[in-house]
Every structure is written in C-alpha cells, then in structure tokens.
Amino acid sequence: MYSFYLEMDVFSKLCSATKDNPTIENGGLLFAKFKPKKLIVTDVINAGPLSKRNKYEIMMMYKILCKAFC
C-alpha cells in the first residue's frame, strides 16, 4: 500500500479549482513522483477553458494539453 502526499502549492491549486467549479468535475492532470511506499504529487494542471465538463466527467482538449507538454 502507498501513502499519498500533496505539496502545499498543489493542494492550494486543487482547492482553488474546486472552489471555482463546485458542482462539476474539475479534471486536470496530476504529476507525481513514486518512492518506496509513497506517491508524492508535485504539480497539477487544469483541463483548460475549452474542456467540456459536467457533474460526472471531463473531456480535455488535446491542443491545451499539447501546449503544456509538447
């Protein structure tokens, strides 16, 4: 079993996304490091303004993600 850790700035980003969108799925991508028995989340990015969101799912826009990673 793994322990799950969030860095404080990542936690703040997640709280902000939830506050901004309380009734729909926030979505986004989590980035993490694996260490023995630990998962440490180091960053999160929002799904972007063009993503389609509802209460149960999110469809991220490929172009937004590509700008972040390509």
Side-chain angles (χ1 to χ4, degrees):
M1 179 156 81
Y2 280 87
S3 296
F4 182 82
Y5 296 89
L6 284 174
E7 294 182 356
M8 195 59 190
D9 60 327
V10 175
F11 181 71
S12 295
K13 286 182 185 181
L14 291 172
C15 289
S16 176
T18 302
K19 183 179 176 185
D20 293 344
N21 303 293
T23 60
I24 60 174
E25 176 61 50
N26 300 357
L29 298 174
L30 298 176
F31 297 89
K33 296 186 271 189
F34 286 98
K35 296 202 172 187
K37 305 256 181 189
K38 291 182 184 178
L39 176 69
I40 304 168
V41 178
T42 58
D43 201 2
V44 61
I45 63 167
N46 196 337
L50 300 177
S51 298
K52 297 183 189 221
R53 305 165 190 242
N54 66 37
K55 187 174 180 179
Y56 304 104
E57 67 183 348
I58 187 163
M59 296 198 46
M60 291 188 232
M61 301 302 293
Y62 173 74
K63 289 180 182 179
I64 300 288
L65 295 175
C66 192
K67 284 182 183 179
F69 302 108
C70 299

